[in-house]
């Protein structure tokens, strides 16, 4: 079972994905963009976004184990980032996004989550606009997703409940 958390900057993806992974004692995959950008003092260009996607996909494939896997972001984040910042996306990144398969997406709303300053974050005033782009993209791709809003605890509770429901429908947590 592959579960991914997606959404705009500072919407709780990392905290939620870690908490849910801990709840299920699941394998957790951090956001690769953060490590990549830290190595470059936050400096990047259009081509770097594709490179982040390629490296993130390689790490995912090489490290996946049996059982529940929880991902803090995936190629949709990179696609929207590229389109929002550069108004274009590399064919390779688009292909990565189109080929990835996750059991369920959790779209994290920025509503109720205060902006946290971070030298790697860029769009404090565009979070709602970005959220709408995520929503539109997930709907267009017809993937299973749930919007998470409210307090951290209510978001976590909802995510846990949905993962448990999915697991039951698939015959248990050994997927």
């Amino acid at each position: 079972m592959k579960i991914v958390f997606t959404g705009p900057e500072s919407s709780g993806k990392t905290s939620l994905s870690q908490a849910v992974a801990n709840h299920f004692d699941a394998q957790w995959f951090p956001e690769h963009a953060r490590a990549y950008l830290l190595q470059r003092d936050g400096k990047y260009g259009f081509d770097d976004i594709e490179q982040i996607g390629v490296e993130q996909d390689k790490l995912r494939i090489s490290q996946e184990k049996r059982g529940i896997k929880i991902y803090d972001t995936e190629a949709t984040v990179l696609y929207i980032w590229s389109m929002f910042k550069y108004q274009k996306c590399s064919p390779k990144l688009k292909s990565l996004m189109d080929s990835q398969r996750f059991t369920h997406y959790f779209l994290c709303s920025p509503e109720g989550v205060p902006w946290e300053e971070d030298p790697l974050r860029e769009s404090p005033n565009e979070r709602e606009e970005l959220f709408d782009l995520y929503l539109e993209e997930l709907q267009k791709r017809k993937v299973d997703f749930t919007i998470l809003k409210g307090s951290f605890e209510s978001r976590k509770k909802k995510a846990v409940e949905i993962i448990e429901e999915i697991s039951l429908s698939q015959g248990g947590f050994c997927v």
Side-chain angles (χ1 to χ4, degrees), residues 42-91:
K43 294 174 177 60
Y44 69 93
F46 173 76
D47 293 336
D48 290 298
I49 298 175
E50 177 183 300
Q51 186 61 36
I52 291 167
V54 168
E55 290 177 16
Q56 180 173 285
D57 198 54
K58 284 181 185 173
L59 287 169
R60 178 186 62 79
I61 291 168
S62 70
Q63 295 176 4
E64 283 183 340
K65 298 176 184 167
R66 188 166 165 78
I68 300 174
K69 293 163 275 301
I70 307 288
Y71 302 85
D72 174 4
T73 75
E74 40 63 68
T76 305
V77 170
L78 300 170
Y79 171 76
I80 289 177
W81 177 15
S82 185
M83 293 301 291
F84 189 76
K85 184 161 179 99
Y86 297 105
Q87 294 74 53
K88 62 183 179 176
C89 175
S90 77

Side-chain angles (χ1 to χ4, degrees), residues 36-37 40-45 48 120:
Y36 184 96
L37 293 173
R40 288 155 181 78
D41 295 323
K43 294 174 177 60
Y44 69 93
D48 290 298
L120 300 179

Side-chain angles (χ1 to χ4, degrees), residues 6 8 15-16 28 30 35-36 39 48 73 81 108 113 128 144 158 165 167:
T6 195
S15 299
L16 278 168
W28 180 72
Y36 184 96
Q39 291 176 344
D48 290 298
T73 75
W81 177 15
C108 297
V113 179
E128 287 297 331
D144 290 328
K158 187 172 189 175
E165 287 173 17
S167 177

Side-chain angles (χ1 to χ4, degrees), residues 6-163:
T6 195
E9 296 174 303
S10 198
S11 61
K13 297 181 299 290
T14 300
S15 299
L16 278 168
S17 63
Q18 283 181 317
V20 170
N22 288 340
H23 177 86
F24 289 108
D25 194 24
Q27 187 179 11
W28 180 72
F29 292 82
E31 175 186 25
H32 181 65
R34 178 161 289 280
Y36 184 96
L37 293 173
L38 284 171
Q39 291 176 344
R40 288 155 181 78
D41 295 323
K43 294 174 177 60
Y44 69 93
F46 173 76
D47 293 336
D48 290 298
I49 298 175
E50 177 183 300
Q51 186 61 36
I52 291 167
V54 168
E55 290 177 16
Q56 180 173 285
D57 198 54
K58 284 181 185 173
L59 287 169
R60 178 186 62 79
I61 291 168
S62 70
Q63 295 176 4
E64 283 183 340
K65 298 176 184 167
R66 188 166 165 78
I68 300 174
K69 293 163 275 301
I70 307 288
Y71 302 85
D72 174 4
T73 75
E74 40 63 68
T76 305
V77 170
L78 300 170
Y79 171 76
I80 289 177
W81 177 15
S82 185
M83 293 301 291
F84 189 76
K85 184 161 179 99
Y86 297 105
Q87 294 74 53
K88 62 183 179 176
C89 175
S90 77
K92 176 68 175 174
L93 183 57
K94 179 79 167 85
S95 175
L96 282 173
M97 183 182 73
D98 291 342
S99 67
Q100 64 188 7
R101 298 288 177 257
F102 293 94
T103 310
H104 196 82
Y105 287 73
F106 288 106
L107 174 55
C108 297
S109 170
E111 182 181 309
V113 179
W115 174 263
E116 281 189 35
E117 277 301 321
D118 182 317
L120 300 179
R121 291 185 178 150
E122 302 177 351
S123 306
N125 300 317
E126 290 89 8
R127 292 190 305 157
E128 287 297 331
E129 178 183 354
L130 287 162
F131 175 82
D132 291 342
L133 293 174
Y134 281 93
L135 180 59
E136 182 180 308
E137 185 60 36
L138 294 177
Q139 289 171 334
K140 182 173 94 179
R141 291 180 27 224
K142 297 181 172 139
V143 298
D144 290 328
F145 72 94
T146 302
I147 296 172
L148 297 177
K149 293 182 178 181
S151 70
F152 177 84
E153 284 307 316
S154 68
R155 291 172 186 230
K156 180 183 170 194
K157 181 179 182 217
K158 187 172 189 175
V160 165
E161 288 171 355
I162 289 170
I163 292 168

